C-alpha cells in the first residue's frame, strides 16, 4: 500500500446548486468553501472519505460519464430522487433493478432497489475501463485490498480508506477521451508521489503554490486523480 483513498471531487458549472442537489440525494449538509466551491458531507457518514468536494470549472461537461457512484434506494423505486431533481435516463433493463439517472449538470449515476439488509446511499464507486482486470489490479497494488473478478468487470474490495463496499471497474469498448468530471483523491504514505510514478502513474501537474499543494496524476488508463502528502507530525 502506497496511498489511501481520501475523497471524491466533482467538477461543476454551479457548485452551490450541484452541491445542493447531491446533498439532497445523500442526506447531507453542504459546506461553503468560501472560494466558490462547496463540500457535501453525508450526515450518516462513517468516514470523512464519504465527503464530495464540488469544484467550479470553466469548461462545460462533454462526453460520457466514466466515473460514477451506485446508490442503494430506501424505496423500491427512484421516485424520491426524481422529486428532488434527478432526471431519469433509463429504466431497468434486467432483474437487477438498476435505474440510470442524471444530476442537473448531466452526470449520470445508478440507483438500485434497496432491501431490508441494505443501507441506503452509495455502496460502490464505478469506473469505466478498457481492461478492468488490469485497472483493478493496479489500484489494489496502490491502495491494498483484494481483486474480485466478474464476467465483464473486476472489483477491488477492502482498499485502504475506501468508504464503500466495492470499487468496480466496468469493461467498456470506448477509450477515455476527455477529463473526468468526477475524480478521486488519495493520501500518500510518502512525502512525494515517486512510488506512484514508479508503479505506472503519470505526473500531470506539480503542486502550484501553497493553496494548491497537491500533485495531479493519472492512472494507466488516464483517469485523473490528486495525491496529497501526509500531514506533518510533531
Amino acid at each position: 500500500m502506497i496511498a489511501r483513498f481520501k475523497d471524491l471531487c466533482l467538477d461543476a458549472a454551479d457548485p452551490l446548486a450541484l452541491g445542493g442537489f447531491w446533498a439532497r440525494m445523500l442526506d447531507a449538509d453542504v459546506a461553503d468553501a468560501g472560494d466558490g466551491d462547496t463540500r457535501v458531507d453525508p450526515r450518516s457518514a462513517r468516514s470523512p472519505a464519504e465527503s464530495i468536494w464540488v469544484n467550479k470549472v470553466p469548461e462545460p461537461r462533454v462526453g460520457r460519464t466514466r466515473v460514477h457512484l451506485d446508490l442503494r434506494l430506501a424505496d423500491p423505486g427512484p421516485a424520491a430522487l426524481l422529486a428532488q431533481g434527478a432526471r431519469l435516463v433509463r429504466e431497468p433493463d434486467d432483474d437487477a433493478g438498476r435505474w440510470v439517472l442524471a444530476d442537473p449538470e448531466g452526470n449520470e449515476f445508478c440507483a438500485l432497489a434497496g432491501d431490508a439488509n441494505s443501507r441506503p446511499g452509495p455502496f460502490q464507486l464505478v469506473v469505466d475501463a478498457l481492461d478492468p482486470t488490469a485497472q483493478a489490479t493496479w489500484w489494489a497494488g496502490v491502495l491494498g485490498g483484494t481483486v474480485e473478478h466478474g464476467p465483464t468487470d473486476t472489483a477491488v474490495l477492502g482498499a485502504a480508506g475506501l468508504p464503500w463496499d466495492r470499487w468496480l471497474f466496468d469493461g467498456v469498448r470506448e477509450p477515455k477521451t476527455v477529463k473526468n468530471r468526477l475524480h478521486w483523491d488519495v493520501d500518500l504514505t510518502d512525502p512525494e508521489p515517486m512510488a506512484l510514478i514508479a508503479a505506472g502513474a503519470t505526473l500531470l501537474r506539480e503542486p502550484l503554490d501553497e493553496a494548491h499543494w497537491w500533485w495531479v496524476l493519472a492512472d494507466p488508463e488516464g483517469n485523473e486523480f490528486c495525491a496529497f502528502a501526509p500531514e506533518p507530525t510533531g
Side-chain angles (χ1 to χ4, degrees):
M1 188 188 86
I2 55 179
R4 182 179 181 86
F5 187 93
K6 184 177 187 293
D7 51 29
L8 291 175
C9 294
L10 177 62
D11 288 352
D14 186 338
L16 187 59
L18 195 59
F21 168 84
W22 279 103
R24 296 192 297 275
M25 294 299 97
L26 304 178
D27 186 28
D29 296 316
V30 179
D32 188 342
D35 57 359
D37 296 342
T38 59
R39 191 183 68 245
V40 177
D41 297 326
R43 298 185 182 104
S44 61
R46 294 168 292 187
S47 162
E50 292 187 51
S51 292
I52 303 174
W53 290 87
V54 186
N55 301 323
K56 187 172 182 61
V57 296
E59 64 271 11
R61 183 186 180 279
V62 295
R64 63 178 286 158
T65 301
R66 294 186 67 88
V67 182
H68 72 268
L69 284 171
D70 279 355
L71 278 62
R72 289 280 183 202
L73 297 169
D75 304 309
L81 303 189
L82 297 174
Q84 294 290 350
R87 175 173 58 86
L88 178 64
V89 176
R90 190 171 69 243
E91 296 272 2
D93 54 9
D94 55 31
D95 294 335
R98 183 188 303 269
W99 288 265
V100 180
L101 308 173
D103 70 19
E105 293 200 4
N107 303 295
E108 294 180 1
F109 61 100
C110 295
L112 284 77
D115 56 44
N117 298 318
S118 61
R119 176 177 180 252
F123 69 94
Q124 66 181 2
L125 178 64
V126 183
V127 183
D128 285 357
L130 294 176
D131 188 337
T133 296
Q135 280 289 94
T137 300
W138 192 84
W139 276 105
V142 171
L143 300 181
T146 59
V147 175
E148 179 183 84
H149 300 279
T152 61
D153 53 43
T154 309
V156 180
L157 285 67
L162 188 75
W164 308 294
D165 298 339
R166 294 154 57 87
W167 190 350
L168 186 73
F169 293 88
D170 192 22
V172 298
R173 296 181 179 180
E174 305 85 1
K176 181 178 181 293
T177 57
V178 297
K179 176 188 175 187
N180 291 330
R181 297 290 280 189
L182 181 66
H183 75 264
W184 54 91
D185 296 337
V186 301
D187 283 322
L188 299 168
T189 56
D190 294 331
E192 295 188 345
M194 296 303 103
L196 263 175
I197 295 169
T202 301
L203 178 63
L204 301 180
R205 197 191 73 197
E206 296 273 2
L208 295 177
D209 50 41
E210 291 185 0
H212 303 84
W213 44 276
W214 55 87
W215 292 266
V216 180
L217 301 105
D219 71 12
E221 287 201 4
N223 297 298
E224 303 88 0
F225 65 98
C226 296
F228 293 75
E231 293 286 343
T233 59

